Structure formats: structure tokens, C-alpha cells
């Protein structure tokens, strides 16, 4: 214990006393435009598989309303991909749809669809991912899916309210972005 204490004190003594002023240049990612196709082959895999990740990104004002809309979209797409890719095509066990919002230095959003599949199905399923997005852009989501998303979100919100992480996320958003994503 004494040896550790001496080492810690020596380390702390070497740290600068005056704060260093660092300037954040860009804290949100910059994504390449267009379609990128990368192929990797594993020398140890016994079953061939393709990992598909599709990333959409764009501008989005950071607000509680937009945050909820994005959450509903994520739920609706998860439901659609579960039906189309997993159930109808038998192309994947699981399809993940994730979103992320960046506030600084500019309001940005990303939405990512990930799954693993048989290489023979990859191009068909990749086209299916895009066609589901196109369908929502053209026709909007089905009302049943939106209602299911809202019910699910209300249930999860009720469960999360009492948890420490919920309050930490809420206060972090209020302090750093000036928006209470959970009010109303």
C-alpha cells in the first residue's frame, strides 16, 4: 500500500498545474458519401457469411420531437426488416437498426442497419434494405407500426424513469445541449 501511494504521488506531481485550453474542432463523424463495398475473407470461418452495414446520415435539428420521431422510425424499420429480411426471405436471424444524434459542432443524425447473411443473399437483401427506406419516404410508415412503436416506447419509458441512467441521460442532454428530451 505504501509503495503504491508513493508511485501515485509521484505520478500526480508530474501533471501540469495549469489547465490546457483545448479546442474541439469537430466532434461529430464525417461520413463518406455514396456506396462503399468492402469484402473481407476469413481464413478460419467454417461457414461463409457476409456482414452488411448500411449507414444513412444527414442533418437533423436536435429537439425532443425529432428525437422521438427518430426513435419511432428506428422501431418501424426494425419491425419491417424483421418481417422482410428474417421472416419472408430467411436471410438473417437478427437485423439491428440503430440511431445516433450529434449536436456539436452541427446537428447531425445517423441511422444504421446491420445484419449477417449468406453471401448468396447479400445483394438481394441489401436492395431490400433500401426498398423499405424508399417505401417509408414515399408512403410514410404504416399507422399500425407507429401505434406499436408508441406503445412500446411508453412502456420502456415507464420502466426507465426510475433508473439512474435515465436521469443521467436526461440531465446530460439538458446541461450540454440545452434540450430536455424527456419532457412531455
Amino acid at each position: 500500500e505504501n509503495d503504491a501511494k508513493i508511485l501515485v504521488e509521484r505520478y500526480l506531481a508530474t501533471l501540469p498545474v495549469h489547465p490546457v485550453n483545448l479546442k474541439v474542432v469537430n466532434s461529430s463523424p464525417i461520413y463518406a458519401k455514396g456506396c462503399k463495398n468492402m469484402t473481407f475473407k476469413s481464413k478460419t470461418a467454417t461457414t461463409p457469411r457476409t456482414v452488411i452495414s448500411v449507414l444513412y446520415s444527414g442533418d437533423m435539428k436536435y429537439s425532443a420531437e425529432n428525437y422521438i420521431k427518430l426513435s419511432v422510425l428506428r422501431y418501424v424499420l426494425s419491425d419491417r426488416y424483421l418481417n422482410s429480411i428474417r421472416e419472408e426471405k430467411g436471410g438473417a436471424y437478427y437485423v439491428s437498426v440503430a440511431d445516433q444524434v450529434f449536436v456539436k459542432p452541427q446537428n447531425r443524425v445517423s441511422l444504421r442497419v446491420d445484419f449477417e447473411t449468406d453471401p448468396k443473399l447479400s445483394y438481394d437483401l441489401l436492395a431490400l434494405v433500401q426498398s423499405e427506406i424508399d417505401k417509408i419516404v414515399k408512403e410514410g410508415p404504416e399507422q399500425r407500426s407507429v401505434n406499436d412503436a408508441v406503445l412500446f416506447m411508453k412502456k420502456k419509458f415507464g420502466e426507465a424513469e426510475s433508473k439512474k441512467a435515465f436521469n443521467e441521460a436526461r440531465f446530460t442532454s439538458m446541461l450540454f445541449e440545452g434540450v430536455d428530451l424527456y419532457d412531455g
Side-chain angles (χ1 to χ4, degrees), residues 157-177:
F157 183 81
E159 293 171 359
E161 269 185 307
S162 63
K163 296 197 169 45
K164 182 180 174 186
F166 173 87
N167 288 317
E168 287 175 0
R170 181 177 188 180
F171 293 129
T172 299
S173 174
M174 288 168 47
L175 286 171
F176 292 108
E177 279 78 38

Side-chain angles (χ1 to χ4, degrees), residues 64-127:
E65 181 181 353
N66 284 342
Y67 187 76
I68 290 171
K69 287 176 181 178
L70 182 62
S71 297
V72 169
L73 176 62
R74 183 184 67 239
Y75 181 93
V76 168
L77 285 173
S78 293
D79 187 49
R80 281 196 179 189
Y81 292 140
L82 180 69
N83 288 326
S84 60
I85 292 175
R86 180 180 171 183
E87 302 299 329
E88 293 171 13
K89 299 288 185 183
Y93 289 114
Y94 182 75
V95 179
S96 168
V97 179
D99 61 63
Q100 195 168 6
V101 178
F102 306 97
V103 180
K104 295 173 182 153
Q106 56 190 3
N107 291 308
R108 300 282 298 161
V109 63
S110 71
L111 185 79
R112 203 170 96 192
V113 181
D114 298 304
F115 59 94
E116 295 180 9
T117 189
D118 183 324
K120 296 173 190 159
L121 299 173
S122 61
Y123 289 105
D124 290 340
L125 296 181
L126 192 55

